[in-house]
Amino acid sequence: MTRKPVLEHPTLAVIKKAFPDAGLKATEFREMTTVVIPREKIHEVARYLHDSPDCDYDFLADVVGIDYMGYPVEQPGRFAVSYVLASGKHGLRITLKTYVDPSVDTSGIDFDPELEVDSITDIWPGAEWPEREVYDMFGIRFKNHPDLRRILLWRDFPAHPLRKDYPLRGRGEREHYQTLNRESR
Amino acid sequence: MGIEAALPHDSIMTTQFNRVVNWARRSSVWPLPFATACCGIELMATACSRFDLARFGAEVMRFSPRQADLLIVAGRIGIKSLPVLQRIYMQMAEPKWVISMGACASTGGVFDTYAVVQGVDQFIPVDVYVPGCPPRPEMLIEGIMAIQRIIDNDNIPKDQDGKRLPLNIAVQPNFEPSAQPVDVSIGAT
């Protein structure tokens, strides 16, 4: 049973007025509002939400990557990046979301210009580590990120393991190690 | 106590030198706790007063591999921490022994994923496996007693055919099970 989303979030009217032709879409689930933003506009809208006194989203709660491969509902793209924002002044929360679609094979770690989103670390410095985690796990790169390295896995790991086409047990990464025996020195 | 009680106090007793050395080694096993998960909590409980690992001479937890004889791998080992574990094993001075404590260290446990080692025995030698999730302190004490038995015998004891003999270690329960309370039925006379 589908329910029509209730779009009463006060920020929606503000950004609709500020970005009339940005192609923003909004949805809502259980009083949590999500704004879907095209990839090119994410930095601009985030900057506005941070700086404008009507919005004043001073806190970035998290940056999340999502892989929609095999998702039961049709989605605009294979991957998504979500930004959860909070405003202490207005007591509001809002989620920004942008979809990206890969253009090269997703089983490896090759650079994909389609899987690149503008970094928001210049707006919220706290985005640095969450963006590194999204890069580590999904291979979505962040343009102008100050230090885009893997954060959990090591540098030479040959995949991005939270992609749905990566096997749960890995491709032998956990077996390829030197073995010590009792005579090892 | 032992045989010395039967001896006159001014006499001497001869034994083998390695028996004395092994007695000293097994009476002062200094463990290095490589505790990464909930097994580490049971390991701490084992060292504390209720279970009192000091009874077995193994209470001195050493956090430097140079000073430890026994590596207790307690908890899951990620492939990122495996090189650390291997280096710690290499840094321990001979003679050294390894206990793999719990399901995760022994087999990977429920963490059958790309990031978790499926049993540390694939990559370092293990002397004693302590099963459980996590093992109770009594089981870890049994594991340390097994290590002591291995030290005493210079290896796992074997019979003439090369088959392993049972170590015959069991921590006996220190209580007698008594009659359990009976259900009270209301209205019965």
Side-chain angles (χ1 to χ4, degrees):
Chain A
M1 195 177 98
T2 53
R3 185 182 62 93
K4 203 168 157 36
V6 184
L7 301 175
E8 290 172 351
H9 197 286
T11 307
L12 291 180
V14 179
I15 56 172
K16 194 173 175 186
K17 201 172 154 200
F19 300 95
D21 48 1
L24 308 182
K25 296 189 184 96
T27 181
E28 178 263 357
F29 181 70
R30 291 190 179 168
E31 299 178 14
M32 291 185 290
T33 304
T34 301
V35 185
V36 180
I37 301 171
R39 180 160 66 107
E40 305 77 36
K41 298 278 183 190
I42 190 83
H43 187 272
E44 200 182 331
V45 175
R47 169 64 76 185
Y48 180 81
L49 286 173
H50 179 264
D51 290 351
S52 157
D54 297 336
C55 306
D56 201 15
Y57 284 94
D58 51 0
F59 180 65
L60 175 78
D62 208 352
V63 181
V64 189
I66 303 163
D67 186 351
Y68 280 111
M69 182 182 178
Y71 196 70
V73 182
E74 186 75 19
Q75 294 288 323
R78 158 92 190 265
F79 294 103
V81 184
S82 270
Y83 305 84
V84 185
L85 309 180
S87 164
K89 188 174 159 198
H90 299 295
L92 290 173
R93 276 178 180 270
I94 198 165
T95 306
L96 312 182
K97 194 175 194 179
T98 184
Y99 286 92
V100 283
D101 241 337
S103 61
V104 300
D105 181 28
T106 51
S107 61
I109 54 170
D110 299 331
F111 172 72
D112 186 350
E114 288 296 313
L115 288 186
E116 199 168 42
V117 183
D118 285 330
S119 172
I120 54 163
T121 45
D122 54 334
I123 307 169
W124 294 280
E128 183 178 343
W129 281 18
E131 286 185 349
R132 278 176 67 185
E133 190 181 349
V134 170
Y135 163 64
D136 190 0
M137 290 292 153
F138 294 95
I140 299 168
R141 284 161 209 258
F142 291 89
K143 218 182 278 176
N144 305 322
H145 190 283
D147 182 26
L148 193 65
R149 290 176 292 135
R150 285 181 180 272
I151 189 168
L152 295 168
L153 297 162
W154 60 98
R155 193 189 61 201
D156 299 329
F157 196 81
H160 294 293
L162 278 195
R163 288 177 174 175
K164 298 274 188 200
D165 49 2
Y166 181 79
L168 174 65
R169 290 173 178 151
R171 302 198 190 105
E173 292 89 358
R174 69 186 186 188
E175 279 91 18
H176 294 161
Y177 263 99
Q178 64 161 337
T179 304
L180 300 186
N181 55 34
R182 288 178 203 279
E183 281 72 45
S184 295
R185 288 283 184 273
Chain B
M1 297 290 285
I3 193 169
E4 73 276 10
L7 292 171
H9 74 278
D10 55 348
S11 62
I12 58 165
M13 192 172 76
T14 57
T15 180
Q16 287 170 310
F17 179 65
N18 69 337
R19 294 262 168 206
V20 179
V21 170
N22 286 346
W23 167 79
R25 282 177 177 162
R26 77 154 157 77
S27 308
S28 62
V29 177
W30 286 9
L32 187 150
F34 196 93
T36 55
C38 40
C39 281
I41 305 295
E42 294 297 304
L43 178 56
M44 290 172 221
T46 313
C48 287
S49 54
R50 185 179 180 88
F51 298 99
D52 196 12
L53 203 54
R55 294 178 293 160
F56 305 89
E59 81 279 20
V60 194
M61 294 288 167
R62 288 287 134 176
F63 297 93
S64 161
R66 303 288 188 205
Q67 300 169 345
D69 312 303
L70 171 65
L71 176 62
I72 300 180
V73 186
R76 65 193 93 90
I77 301 297
I79 36 182
K80 210 172 162 186
S81 64
L82 181 68
V84 180
L85 179 66
Q86 287 188 326
R87 172 163 288 201
I88 284 175
Y89 176 78
M90 297 281 271
Q91 284 176 340
M92 287 170 67
E94 293 279 355
K96 54 192 171 188
W97 296 272
V98 179
I99 286 182
S100 166
M101 178 182 179
C104 299
S106 304
T107 67
V110 296
F111 302 101
D112 189 6
T113 72
Y114 62 95
V116 178
V117 169
Q118 302 298 298
V120 291
D121 56 349
Q122 294 178 32
F123 302 107
I124 62 170
V126 172
D127 292 285
V128 171
Y129 302 86
V130 179
C133 185
R136 280 194 56 89
E138 292 93 328
M139 299 182 68
L140 181 63
I141 287 173
E142 275 198 40
I144 286 174
M145 288 169 76
I147 289 281
Q148 289 180 328
R149 196 66 59 92
I150 289 170
I151 296 172
D152 255 348
N153 292 289
D154 281 324
N155 204 334
I156 298 168
K158 296 190 168 121
D159 63 8
Q160 291 89 347
D161 304 332
K163 285 188 180 162
R164 282 176 51 180
L165 290 168
L167 292 171
N168 287 327
I169 300 166
V171 178
Q172 296 298 322
N174 58 0
F175 62 92
E176 289 284 328
S178 57
Q180 297 298 305
V182 185
D183 285 346
V184 176
S185 52
I186 297 172
T189 52

